Structure formats: C-alpha cells, structure tokens
Amino acid sequence: MRLDHFRRLRPLCPACRAAGRAAAPLALGAAALVQGDDIVEGVLVCSERLCQREHPIVDGIPIVVADIASWSAHQLPALQRRDDLSAFTESLIGDAAGPQSEFHAERSNLGIYGWAHWGDAARSGDAEGAAAPRHGGAYLGLLDACWPLLDAPPQGAWIDVGCAVGRGTVELARRGAGIAVGVDLGFAMLRVAERVRRSGRARYPLRRGGLVFDRCDVAVADVPAERIAYWCCDAAALPFADAAFAGALLLNVVDCVPAPLALLAEAGRLLAPGAAALYASPYDWSTQATPVSQWLGGAGQRGPARGSSAAELRRILSPDRAAGVDLGLVIESELEAVPWNLRTGDRAAMAYAVHAARLRRR
Ligand SMILES: C[S@@+](CC[C@H](N)C(=O)[O-])C[C@H]1O[C@@H](n2cnc3c(N)ncnc32)[C@H](O)[C@@H]1O
Ligand SMILES: [Zn+2]
C-alpha cells in the first residue's frame, strides 16, 4: 500500500458500518516494513474510540473487512502460505496434500485465473511435452470485447470489483484511470496481483491435469505501479466513501457472492452520479457461493424473468423507476453473449457466453 494511495482513497472502517455506526476514517497505525513508496507490512486503525479495529497490511495488501475473524477462518492458510519454495518442493507438497486439499484447490484456482489474466505473456518453465495451452489471456479478450460498451475512457479513480489476480486493474490504469483499485476477498489471488504491481512478474501455478502443475513466472511490461492498488475487501462492504469512484469493473463477480443485489447496491453507493460500470456475468450460479434464493432469475422459471438472469437484471435495473429496484444503477447498453473461456488443464476448459452491460449511476 502506497501512502499517497491511502491519502487519496481515505478509507473508512467497515467494522463501524457493520455495527450500525457511521464508518470512521482509518489512520495509519504503524508501518513495520517499508520498501520504497510501499508499506509492505503495517496496520490501519479505526479512528473511532468505540471501535479502534486494527486492519492489517500484509505483503503490501491492506486487509480491510468488517469481520476479520471470519475472514481469517477461510483465508489464514493463504495468508500464511510461504511463497519462497522452489516449484520442485511445491509440487512435492501438492502431491502429499492430495486433490481434496485446500492447497490443491488454491493452486487450481490460481492457475485458472493466472492463465486467463496473464497467459498472454510468454510462458516459461514448461515441462517438455506439455500439450499446447489454450485460452491464455482470455480475460483480455473479454475485456476488449466489452470495452466498446463504455462511452468514454476511464479517468479519475476506478475500482475493479473481484479483481482476482489483477489484470483488469492494470488495464484500467493503462487505459487512463488516475488510480485503479482492485478489490478481492481472496488473499492468494491478490498476492499474485500485488507481485505483478511491485515486481512486474506474474507468478502462478498452472495445472496440466491431475496433481501435475507447472510454474509460470513471466515478465509483465508496462505496469503503471504508481497508479494501481490492491485491497483485500468484501465487495458487499467496501471501505470507501459514497461516490468515491468515477467508474467500476464488475466482471464475473455477481454470481460469486452470497448477495448479488447487495453487491450491486454497494457499487451504486460507491459510484459518483453519472459514473459508468462495465458489467459481465456468466450467471453460473452455485450454492457454494450464493444461496438459491439469491440467484438473480436463476431460480423460478415461472417468474417475471422466466428463469433468465439477464432478463432479471434488466428488470431490476430498469431505467423505469417504477419497474426496477432502486440500487442507484440503471442498465444502458448490452451485449447478449461474449465468449469467455477458462482453462482448467492442458486438455480441459470451461466455455462461457457472458452477458455484458454498461451500467450507469443515476
Ligand atoms: C469468477 S472470479 C472473476 C475474476 C475477474 N473479475 C475475472 O473476470 O476474471 C470472481 C472473483 O471474485 C472474488 N470474490 C468472491 N466473493 C467476493 C467478495 N465477497 N468480495 C470480493 N471479492 C470476491 C473471488 O475471490 C474471485 O477472485
Ligand atoms: Zn471502526
């Protein structure tokens, strides 16, 4: 976390808001490890006397969530994971832990998004004979296909909600944002993103199949590090002021959260009046992420949206206020089906046709 970003973003305490108080400003409590302009380890502290919650900064990433104990229950292994092991030893540990382990799930996920976001950079360290990988950099293909929906290039502060390993945030900065803030709850993902920002290298395990992974460690050129920030936050309770952002990416995240409408409402709160959001989703609902009752149109095929999530989004965000729910956002322009492919192994991929849209803050 750069000090100039902290001053510009003026974060507010989500624990205060969860307790029903006005969210108080966070102060920099201590910096335990500083490298150049970055506070790599330190703590942000809530300035409200009744709260004084500490929000740690680890590996350069501020962790600013309302309930750090429940966040830790899921994220502690990722937070504590050492990343100095050779690919050789990492693969020994992966084999020992086995396919049901959290470690395997984390590596598989990092490979899926690492490859989608950074796979267009040359791959190094491949084992001989690995089948030709496909869909490297598919995220960029998706972003470029959706980009014309925006009627103006990004300016000022933009937020990339559910940024994963960070490509969208880098693209926002490359394409004009004065500051691009990537937020995600997953610490392992953010660590990959933050490494790209601070060292210009994308490093992630890429699954061939079974328990077999190769390590990708590739140079990423042209990273405007001084205009990029990654924060570990819940998309439904972001630690920033109302109207703090001039635009948002909401790509493939609405079907990954427990309360999609709360996520949209939070995006509406954060955006300045007139600001645009680039939205996309495959509506690949699962109960691991979202209870069935919250699936937008994805349950209830006899309802008004006839089981179509895209139709339900249109209904919810209708510019006709009487028809829509007032989340502060309206839907302005759409693409019905944009291809988005995620590689899961050398011989396997998931193929999506995502619904994309430009949303506008009223
Ligand atoms: C399907 S991935 C999409 C990532 C990226 N936007 C893309 O299009 O490639 C969804 C991301 O949302 C993150 N996520 C899930 N729930 C979240 C939450 N409540 N707050 C912030 N991020 C969340 C996940 O960790 C994951 O990185
Ligand atoms: Zn507080």
Side-chain angles (χ1 to χ4, degrees), residues 75 109 113 116-117 139 142 160-168 183-187 189 231-238 249-258 263 280 282 289 340 342:
Q75 294 288 327
N109 221 15
Y113 290 98
H117 285 220
Y139 178 87
L142 171 67
D160 178 10
V161 178
C163 66
V165 292
R167 180 64 179 264
V183 295
D184 203 287
L185 264 186
F187 198 81
M189 296 272 207
W231 286 54
C232 187
C233 310
D234 182 353
L238 290 163
L249 292 185
L250 301 171
L251 299 184
N252 307 318
V253 67
V254 83
D255 61 351
C256 296
V257 297
L263 178 137
W340 181 50
L342 292 178

Side-chain angles (χ1 to χ4, degrees), residues 254-255 257-264 279 281 283-285 290-300 305-317 325 327 355:
V254 83
D255 61 351
V257 297
L261 289 184
L263 178 137
L264 291 171
Y279 164 97
S281 182
Y283 305 121
D284 192 12
W285 304 109
T290 317
V292 175
S293 61
Q294 303 297 310
W295 295 3
L296 297 182
R306 304 224 161 263
S308 159
S309 297
E312 181 65 1
L313 189 82
R314 269 175 224 126
R315 198 177 74 84
I316 292 169
L317 303 184
V325 180
L327 300 175
H355 173 223

Side-chain angles (χ1 to χ4, degrees), residues 147 150-156 158 172 175-177 246:
W147 198 256
L150 290 176
D151 44 9
Q155 284 186 333
W158 275 60
L172 286 173
R175 297 175 192 206

